[in-house]
Amino acid sequence: MRLRALLETEALGLRLLGGEEELDRTVRGVMTTDLRDPSRYLTGGELVLTGLAWRRDPADSERFVRILAGAGVAGLAAGEAELGDVPEDLVTACVRHRLPLFSVVEDVSFASITEHVVRQVSGERAGDLAAVVDRHRRLMTSGPAGGGPDVILDLLGSDLDLNAWVLSPTGRQIAGASPGGPGARLPAAVCARLAGEHLAAVRAGRRPPHRVAVPGSGTYSLFPVRGGSRPAGADVRETVLSEWLLAVEADAGDWPAERLDLLHGVTQLIAVERDRRDAARTVRRRLAQEVLELVTAAAPPTEIAARLRVAAPVLLPGLGGAPHWQVVVARVEWGLTGEGWAPEGAEPGRDAQLPAGPVSQALLEELLVDPEGAGPDPSDRIAVAHTGDEAVALVALPAATDDERADAALHADRLLAAVREPLARGLDGDGRLTLGVSATVHSAEGLRGALEEARHARRVAAARPGRVCAAGHQELASHVLLLPFVPDDVRRAFTARLLDPLRDYDRRHRAELIPTLEAFLACDGSWTRCATQLHLHVNTLRYRVGRIEQLTGRDLARLEDKLDFFLALRMS
């Protein structure tokens, strides 16, 4: 359809502010956004609807319009509900970039315009989708009344006999499992499998839909919700770990083009809900960023506490009392190869050009979502900022007893237990996720220590092998914190000097000196307990220990030598 047709539709109440000579542009879709930079979600030909929340000063208009023009959008429609008349600087910027600009009167909703455009654009290709959208105007409305993605999944089930679910990249069910909703709740293992297959297919560059046969469950077709929204030339790794997917219980291999177009249109509609949820996190991200900057700059605790008092009602809506806080640090790194991981600073092939901060932020937000959280959006207690390649989450825990707070606290292994498989597929051999979790603190004074604690824990995780690793604060009170950071050549030299003479002797004489040494240290040097554990006479044990001391030149009665042997065994 043409822009001119929209202007001529009186029910939409659009008023042209500039660009009359461009009204013959073709509209291929519609997008509602208040992001300052929506370029990654634009493919060209869209009518962009905005409430102007991105505009803070006149200079923002030039930047926003330049981005839209560069993405090849058909036109821009600005709502008058928030700011009244459309600002003159926006009109000037649109004239400069030859972008048609419309104003949308306050009593016309963006949902009405979206519905009209979707119906007109897709009507001739998929009449059933147009009919569905026409009968269910509430599909595009925001808030509880609209029902979000569950509404359209319900329509797919009732009108097209398709069971479908919206999944996050970690396999969390976002829609399709509500009481009375379409289909049954998918088992967690199936969700993880589908998410992993989707991420692997996207990383491999395969064209959707991706078909997956799950033994005992059936065949599913996977459609990326953000499919086609990535700017030309953009690195797939920038969005692969934050994209939703639509899983349909059907084999789309023999579907006609019209049906595939219909499902593509469905993913575009679901993307509207995704944008709404992303926009809802803006305030929480800003609060987290402000707190992080204060903590990092070693601001006075009173200043940090004042900012936390502002943040608490946002992060803990409806809950009283002074909350406790926990810090989680995550980092996604790309360009890593090989199965062995060196300590940070010695990682092979790191791709320093790919911005990892936003990726880490989006993924950490997903990992911290509580599916059972209160409110329409289970992410309403998440506040994640990013600095450089690192994402930092400020997690509020309600005031409670020590036992209750311990149960509610985040634990490193639990955060990653259910998502290792899909995330490893999305990291696809050249990426890595490491995560560290602090202990809980009850005041602003403890936040700086909690941040450093979470960062140290993440470094411990980074020194471990594997694509997806985590460590908690409990691991910082042990020698395991130090061992991963010893250089490999130092480790080998240290263990060889102490243990190789014993290994050589065991090979020649089968004397079992190494097992004896391990048991002796485990029994804290107690001759009686060690002899009993090894089923030896005490004199035999004394002979073996004497042989160990003779071969190594060490004295196992000395604490320092015991400690050296203990560390050598742990590093070997």
Side-chain angles (χ1 to χ4, degrees):
M1 68 176 299
R2 309 283 182 180
L3 282 174
R4 190 179 305 278
L6 288 174
L7 187 61
E8 294 171 351
T9 304
E10 295 183 1
L12 298 181
L14 296 178
R15 184 165 60 93
L16 182 65
L17 300 181
E20 184 173 3
E21 65 280 5
E22 304 291 336
L23 289 179
D24 287 328
R25 291 187 181 186
T26 300
V27 179
R28 297 187 179 90
V30 64
M31 176 187 179
T32 301
T33 184
D34 276 313
L35 296 174
R36 293 170 65 84
D37 181 3
S39 57
R40 68 173 57 193
Y41 308 127
L42 298 170
T43 60
E46 295 93 348
L47 172 67
V48 174
L49 307 176
T50 180
L52 301 178
W54 48 265
R55 183 185 177 276
R56 298 175 184 173
D57 55 61
D60 289 339
S61 294
E62 169 63 22
R63 179 177 180 272
F64 185 75
V65 172
R66 184 174 65 250
I67 289 171
L68 298 189
V73 305
L76 173 65
E80 297 179 350
E82 291 292 332
L83 301 181
D85 292 338
V86 176
E88 189 61 31
D89 50 85
L90 181 58
V91 177
T92 302
C94 287
V95 170
R96 182 180 299 114
H97 291 279
R98 300 179 63 85
L99 182 66
L101 175 64
F102 304 88
S103 66
V104 182
V105 297
E106 185 174 352
D107 58 352
V108 174
S109 68
F110 284 175
S112 300
I113 299 173
T114 300
E115 176 188 335
H116 179 83
V117 173
V118 170
R119 185 170 62 244
Q120 295 299 318
V121 170
S122 61
E124 65 276 11
R125 297 181 318 205
D128 46 358
L129 178 60
V132 167
V133 174
D134 186 50
R135 289 200 312 272
H136 299 273
R137 180 170 179 169
R138 64 195 176 100
L139 176 66
M140 299 303 298
T141 61
S142 61
D150 276 309
V151 174
I152 193 168
L153 299 190
D154 187 44
L155 301 181
L156 287 176
S158 61
D159 287 63
L160 305 178
D161 197 25
L162 292 175
N163 289 326
W165 299 262
V166 177
L167 305 180
S168 77
T170 63
R172 177 176 61 91
Q173 292 192 36
I174 296 166
S178 58
R185 186 176 183 87
L186 286 176
V190 175
C191 291
R193 169 74 182 277
L194 296 180
E197 294 288 348
H198 166 73
L199 292 174
V202 173
R203 287 301 312 274
R206 296 202 300 269
R207 186 174 181 177
H210 315 303
R211 290 176 289 157
V212 180
V214 180
S217 182
T219 299
Y220 299 83
S221 296
L222 310 179
F223 297 82
V225 169
R226 297 292 190 192
S229 62
R230 202 177 294 111
D235 195 313
V236 66
R237 294 175 293 181
E238 294 185 44
T239 56
V240 66
L241 295 179
S242 59
E243 290 182 344
W244 288 359
L245 66 136
L246 176 67
V248 180
E249 191 179 15
D251 187 341
D254 56 355
W255 281 8
E258 292 79 5
R259 180 56 63 88
L260 292 174
D261 283 347
L262 184 151
L263 266 295
H264 177 66
V266 167
T267 63
Q268 290 181 322
L269 298 180
I270 295 173
V272 173
E273 174 66 12
R274 175 60 192 266
D275 291 339
R276 184 190 70 80
R277 295 192 185 189
D278 280 348
R281 291 179 177 177
T282 302
V283 174
R284 292 188 291 276
R285 285 174 171 172
R286 188 177 304 150
L287 287 171
Q289 193 72 43
E290 291 173 356
V291 174
L292 175 62
E293 290 172 358
L294 290 174
V295 172
T296 304
T302 54
E303 187 176 351
I304 299 175
R307 179 54 54 188
L308 288 177
R309 283 194 293 272
V310 174
V314 177
L315 301 178
L316 285 172
L319 295 181
H324 286 62
W325 303 93
Q326 204 168 5
V327 176
V328 183
V329 173
R331 188 171 182 177
V332 174
E333 296 168 291
W334 299 107
L336 302 171
T337 57
E339 291 303 322
W341 301 104
E344 288 189 5
E347 295 149 338
R350 181 176 171 188
D351 184 352
Q353 301 303 314
L354 185 66
V359 179
S360 302
Q361 181 182 44
L363 186 54
L364 184 53
E365 286 175 335
E366 168 59 30
L367 292 174
L368 295 177
V369 167
D370 177 10
E372 308 301 328
D377 185 352
S379 69
D380 61 1
R381 295 181 189 176
I382 297 170
V384 183
H386 74 83
T387 173
D389 291 343
E390 180 183 75
V392 179
L394 184 66
V395 180
L397 301 174
T401 65
D402 290 343
D403 290 341
E404 290 172 337
R405 193 161 49 252
D407 290 339
L410 300 174
H411 298 274
D413 288 337
R414 293 182 198 170
L415 285 174
L416 297 182
V419 301
R420 291 183 189 274
E421 177 188 346
L423 290 183
R425 302 291 298 275
L427 295 165
D428 190 37
D430 71 341
R432 207 167 178 235
L433 167 67
T434 51
L435 183 143
V437 181
S438 79
T440 58
V441 296
H442 60 82
S443 66
E445 288 86 348
L447 272 183
R448 183 171 178 81
L451 176 60
E452 290 305 314
E453 192 174 59
R455 283 174 168 163
H456 282 306
R458 194 203 63 77
R459 293 188 190 105
V460 170
R464 295 171 175 168
R467 293 284 168 194
V468 181
C469 297
H473 62 93
Q474 304 91 338
E475 300 177 63
L476 302 185
S478 169
H479 63 277
V480 297
L481 171 63
L482 304 176
L483 296 186
F485 300 101
V486 178
D488 287 343
D489 55 346
V490 175
R491 292 159 67 105
R492 285 191 293 268
F494 180 74
T495 57
R497 189 174 296 115
L498 281 175
L499 301 183
D500 279 2
L502 306 183
R503 293 189 180 113
D504 291 341
Y505 192 88
D506 280 346
R507 261 194 309 271
R508 294 195 308 270
H509 302 285
R510 297 183 181 180
E512 298 187 352
L513 295 185
I514 292 289
T516 300
L517 176 62
E518 291 175 330
F520 186 73
L521 294 175
C523 292
D524 297 323
S526 169
W527 298 99
T528 303
R529 282 193 290 125
C530 184
T532 301
Q533 179 178 316
L534 294 176
H535 306 290
L536 297 175
H537 192 279
V538 172
N539 289 340
T540 303
L541 176 61
R542 290 185 184 275
Y543 170 81
R544 289 186 182 181
V545 170
R547 179 64 66 182
I548 291 171
E549 293 174 335
Q550 180 185 16
L551 291 170
T552 61
R554 299 299 185 104
D555 182 358
L556 280 169
R558 298 178 68 246
L559 176 63
E560 293 87 345
D561 288 341
K562 286 181 182 178
L563 180 59
D564 284 346
F565 277 121
F566 175 78
L567 292 176
L569 289 169
R570 292 302 300 264
M571 290 192 292
S572 63

